[in-house]
Amino acid sequence: MDSRTLVFLPTYNERENLVDLIEQLFALGRNLSVLVVDDLSPDGTGELAEKLAEQYRGKIRVIHRDGPRGRGHAGVTGLREAAASPCDYVVEMDADLSHHPSDLPRLLDAASGADLVIGSRYVEGGRTENFGWFRVLNSRVAAGLTWLFLGLGYTDPTSGYRVYRRDLLARLPWDKMISPGPSIVEETLYYIQREGARIAEVPITFRERQEGRSKLNVWIRVRWILAMLRIRRAANS
Ligand SMILES: Nc1nc2c(ncn2[C@@H]2O[C@H](COP(=O)(O)OP(=O)(O)O)[C@@H](O)[C@H]2O)c(=O)[nH]1
Ligand SMILES: [Mg+2]
């Protein structure tokens, strides 16, 4: 039987990307359902997600987060909810079409032999498109820092395109996590490595978004580095 897979999408101002992404996901013909976690996007992404949920009845759930927004807050809400949902695998991917649904079948195939599959831009066969040298440098430096601070020796630890076994997510100590922003991606990987989980890296083609804007700015980058310094300490407290 096709394993049950829940695709978790964190969204903030992704109105121009969400319909395409959802259509492409369901066109894969796998046993998929979708969980959208939106932080009250001013562009109406949350309302659009509700419309899609009506259209694809029973296949899409939407959580509207209130309170402080952030990729990390949304990540904890979404993955926690996913861990308690009836499914075998949980996919996490960006909602800006940078992570392409056409790579998903290969990631899911690899998940039968691993607890976590990371979609990697930098493993042999991986690619980036339309991703300028500064963004590549950024993600390479970030990977170096996660190795230095957290001991994560993977080619692409900052990739948010992943497949988790649901039972792995159910074992993670969500209450200890301290990342309000994108460092949640490295923080979850840190705890997963500590669990002794089997981690595989599979090549993906990452395409920088065509629509909407990245939420990565200088302040978010500074907070990301500060989080790297605190994650290990919080884990051991
Ligand atoms: N719910 C929620 N999602 C967010 C937030 N910030 C970013 N995202 C989503 O996280 C994903 C990655 O964000 P993006 O801005 O593209 O970051 P980049 O790919 O690193 O430039 C996208 O699906 C965003 O919509 C947030 O504060 N709340
Ligand atoms: Mg993006």
Side-chain angles (χ1 to χ4, degrees), residues 10-12 14 37-39 69-71 74 94-96 135 209 213-216:
T11 62
Y12 193 72
E14 300 293 0
V37 178
D38 185 71
D39 273 352
R69 86 160 177 94
R71 173 68 181 83
D94 291 355
D96 58 0
R135 293 298 304 270
R209 61 164 76 239
R213 289 184 53 187
S214 167
K215 281 99 220 168
L216 211 58

Side-chain angles (χ1 to χ4, degrees), residues 4-213:
R4 295 164 306 169
T5 302
L6 179 64
V7 181
F8 157 50
L9 306 173
T11 62
Y12 193 72
N13 289 346
E14 300 293 0
R15 198 185 46 180
E16 291 148 299
N17 296 310
L18 194 62
V19 174
D20 268 3
L21 174 58
I22 298 270
E23 281 175 357
Q24 291 180 34
L25 281 168
F26 287 124
L28 292 173
R30 310 284 285 232
N31 187 359
L32 294 185
S33 55
V34 170
L35 172 64
V36 175
V37 178
D38 185 71
D39 273 352
L40 305 181
S41 298
D43 78 344
T45 302
E47 292 76 10
L48 177 61
E50 290 292 354
K51 273 201 197 123
L52 288 163
E54 242 168 70
Q55 191 183 329
Y56 293 88
R57 203 168 281 281
K59 288 287 187 192
I60 302 180
R61 264 187 300 155
V62 188
I63 295 178
H64 304 275
R65 289 192 62 258
D66 208 345
R69 86 160 177 94
R71 173 68 181 83
H73 295 303
V76 170
T77 301
L79 292 177
R80 248 189 153 148
E81 177 68 22
S85 300
C87 61
D88 306 299
Y89 297 106
V90 176
V91 176
E92 179 177 37
M93 65 196 289
D94 291 355
D96 58 0
L97 293 167
S98 286
H99 296 148
H100 207 270
S102 59
D103 282 330
L104 188 54
R106 275 184 313 105
L107 298 190
L108 286 170
D109 287 347
S112 59
D115 302 305
L116 167 67
V117 178
I118 301 174
S120 172
R121 293 164 283 191
Y122 307 119
V123 81
E124 171 130 27
R127 285 165 51 90
T128 55
E129 287 177 2
N130 202 18
F131 204 49
W133 68 268
F134 183 68
R135 293 298 304 270
V136 173
L137 180 70
N138 249 273
S139 80
R140 294 301 211 152
V141 168
L145 292 175
T146 64
W147 175 76
L148 194 65
F149 291 121
L150 302 178
L152 300 176
Y154 306 97
T155 62
D156 201 356
T158 67
S159 169
Y161 198 0
R162 295 172 170 179
V163 180
Y164 306 87
R165 289 186 67 88
R166 190 200 55 78
D167 52 0
L168 169 66
L169 291 179
R171 296 202 299 273
L172 298 185
W174 299 104
D175 288 331
K176 286 193 149 193
M177 302 205 190
I178 53 114
S179 295
S183 61
I184 192 65
V185 173
E186 296 77 31
E187 189 168 23
T188 47
L189 183 56
Y190 175 73
Y191 281 103
I192 288 168
Q193 176 168 280
R194 265 166 77 117
E195 278 284 312
R198 297 166 303 162
I199 300 173
E201 294 188 278
V202 166
I204 58 163
T205 297
F206 178 98
R207 296 176 191 85
E208 182 51 325
R209 61 164 76 239
Q210 308 286 315
E211 304 294 338
R213 289 184 53 187

